[in-house]
Amino acid sequence: MKTFALARASDSAQAIATAAKATTAQQGAEIRFIGGGTTLVDLMKLNVETPQTLVDINHLPLDKIESLPDGGLTIGAVVRNSDLAYHPLVKKNYPVLSEAILSGASPQLRNMATTAGNLLQRTRCMYFRATDMPCNKREPGSGCAAITGVNRSLAILGTSEQCIATNPSDMCVAMAALEATIDVRGTMGERAIPFADFHLLPGKTPERETVLEPGDLVTHVTLPPPAPGNRSLYLKLRDRMSYEFALASAAVVITAANGTITRARIALGGVGTKPWRSTEAETELTDQPANEATFRKAADAALRGAKPQSQNAFKVELAKRCLVHALKLATQPA
Ligand SMILES: Cc1cc2nc3c(=O)[nH]c(=O)nc-3n(C[C@H](O)[C@H](O)[C@H](O)COP(=O)(O)OP(=O)(O)OC[C@H]3O[C@@H](n4cnc5c(N)ncnc54)[C@H](O)[C@@H]3O)c2cc1C
Ligand code: SF4
């Protein structure tokens, strides 16, 4: 591993000014913020990420979870995943978020991992981590070893000819369904980015994963007030019950009255190159009876654009069944 400098940020203006000296956007940049380090340090040990300077943001006053006057919630960037998952307001008003976080990684990792770090965690595609293999995301233009190689766990939605890597985050799937906003402070001031616009599809530039610019510091994630009378849950399917990434997952936030769905927010994990909000499924569900036929139509709509690779065609039906089952659980009598 190359040597690097560790700077401790005492205020966000100084942190932003330092990080803004980077010549590329967050991923691959030579100056990087560090939260829990559970993604970044691993990748540095593998020489996949080689920043020269790490700016430690753990001492910034961004460690609070606070309710907002409109009934929403603001979550600081360095709030630990465990603290977020077990927060009473999250468990009460946003159970899908609590369940998604607790389905990921291990207690030790969740105690370290931060909200912003989780948003920006990188793919688990094995070739991305193997510096002797071609990978357009790690080394633009080098090729994609996964398309003709081992791709069982990789994406079937949002892929391109350049990259088929899955976004691995569970937390992000819940945040997509909750329509969170990501608050960013950068050299041009503050801005709020709707969750759906934050992560980018790989297209021709898989190395660029988010809309963040050099110097952009994620400061908070804001959740809107919970929809009245909604039920939400996260269902994750994987090869083993713990310490494993999703093969398919579903976050559902459903409001139903007298057996009819009046509002639906749906996101899928384990199948998309970004946390996959499905407005197609939401349209199929809204104003329809809460029954298996409706759920199946919604699942078919969500996976209509799926493009499986040589080893992951099974994910199409798996993701559909995952969504149907999540919808059944969310609409069954309490
Ligand atoms: C063995 C293992 C198993 C795992 N299993 C799962 C799983 O099942 N499900 C799941 O969802 N996740 C899983 N994870 C991933 C884990 O959730 C992430 O590693 C963690 O959330 C990253 O958070 P962090 O604070 O440690 O990030 P860091 O490593 O500190 O940072 C990650 C990235 O975010 C950037 N960054 C951090 N904070 C900011 C900020 N405020 N503004 C701008 N940029 C910032 C960093 O520069 C870096 O690029 C697993 C990880 C491991 C090691
Ligand atoms: S799928 Fe993406 S991350 Fe994996 S080898 Fe191909 S380009 Fe790299």
Side-chain angles (χ1 to χ4, degrees):
M1 196 197 325
K2 287 183 193 154
T3 55
F4 63 93
L6 180 62
R8 178 174 153 157
S10 54
D11 66 60
S12 50
Q14 177 225 335
I16 291 164
T18 306
K21 293 179 192 147
T23 53
T24 66
Q26 283 292 325
Q27 280 85 23
E30 63 274 28
I31 302 174
R32 305 288 289 277
F33 299 125
I34 184 160
T38 64
T39 284
L40 188 52
V41 174
D42 274 9
L43 292 172
M44 289 171 67
K45 288 182 192 160
L46 295 169
N47 272 327
V48 172
E49 300 257 29
T50 53
Q52 292 150 20
T53 303
L54 297 183
V55 181
D56 180 1
I57 56 169
N58 285 288
H59 301 280
L60 297 181
L62 300 172
D63 58 349
K64 304 271 186 309
I65 301 172
E66 290 169 310
S67 50
L68 294 167
D70 69 356
L73 203 66
T74 176
I75 304 157
V78 301
V79 167
R80 306 290 148 178
N81 286 181
S82 301
D83 293 334
L84 181 56
Y86 290 116
H87 192 282
L89 284 175
V90 175
K91 285 170 69 177
K92 178 169 171 269
N93 293 336
Y94 309 98
V96 63
L97 180 57
S98 181
E99 290 169 16
I101 293 171
L102 293 177
S103 75
S106 65
Q108 291 88 345
L109 283 158
R110 295 193 297 265
N111 287 344
M112 286 299 292
T114 61
T115 306
N118 197 326
L119 287 176
L120 293 161
Q121 65 169 287
R122 307 205 67 189
T123 184
R124 310 305 290 194
C125 173
M126 61 190 264
Y127 302 108
F128 175 67
R129 284 160 191 264
T131 51
D132 55 344
M133 300 298 288
C135 170
N136 287 324
K137 187 182 279 297
R138 176 172 33 76
E139 199 181 326
S142 62
C144 172
I147 287 175
T148 51
V150 177
N151 52 44
R152 176 178 178 269
S153 66
L154 299 187
I156 53 174
L157 291 166
T159 56
S160 74
E161 287 177 4
Q162 306 287 318
C163 181
I164 57 169
T166 323
N167 182 293
S169 173
D170 292 298
M171 182 194 82
C172 287
V173 184
M175 286 185 174
L178 290 169
E179 300 181 300
T181 302
I182 299 171
D183 303 309
V184 173
R185 202 175 297 161
T187 52
M188 308 291 281
E190 296 181 7
R191 65 193 197 282
I193 305 168
F195 200 88
D197 299 338
F198 183 75
H199 295 94
L200 297 170
L201 292 173
K204 290 188 163 53
T205 52
E207 72 281 8
R208 187 168 165 80
E209 295 173 351
T210 68
V211 295
L212 291 180
E213 298 291 342
D216 276 348
L217 176 73
V218 173
T219 59
H220 298 88
V221 173
T222 302
L223 301 180
N230 87 85
R231 284 175 76 183
S232 75
L233 65 83
Y234 187 70
L235 181 64
K236 176 173 175 178
L237 306 182
R238 46 194 152 164
D239 282 330
R240 57 182 180 197
M241 269 313 287
S242 76
Y243 212 42
E244 187 57 275
F245 292 88
L247 287 170
S249 69
V252 302
V253 185
I254 298 291
T255 311
N258 304 321
T260 299
I261 296 169
T262 55
R263 182 182 183 276
R265 294 292 181 272
I266 304 293
L268 300 175
V271 288
T273 51
K274 60 185 263 187
W276 200 260
R277 169 97 180 262
S278 178
T279 51
E280 297 86 351
E282 292 167 9
T283 304
E284 291 292 342
L285 291 165
T286 307
D287 299 327
Q288 297 302 315
N291 60 29
E292 181 144 3
T294 304
F295 302 157
R296 188 71 203 185
K297 267 192 199 165
D300 288 344
L303 273 297
R304 196 160 289 137
K307 196 170 166 226
Q309 302 295 325
S310 56
Q311 299 172 351
N312 64 8
F314 73 97
K315 280 194 176 192
V316 179
E317 183 58 24
L318 190 73
K320 288 183 185 178
R321 291 185 190 189
C322 182
L323 178 54
V324 169
H325 197 61
L327 288 165
K328 273 189 202 168
L329 294 173
T331 54
Q332 71 190 7

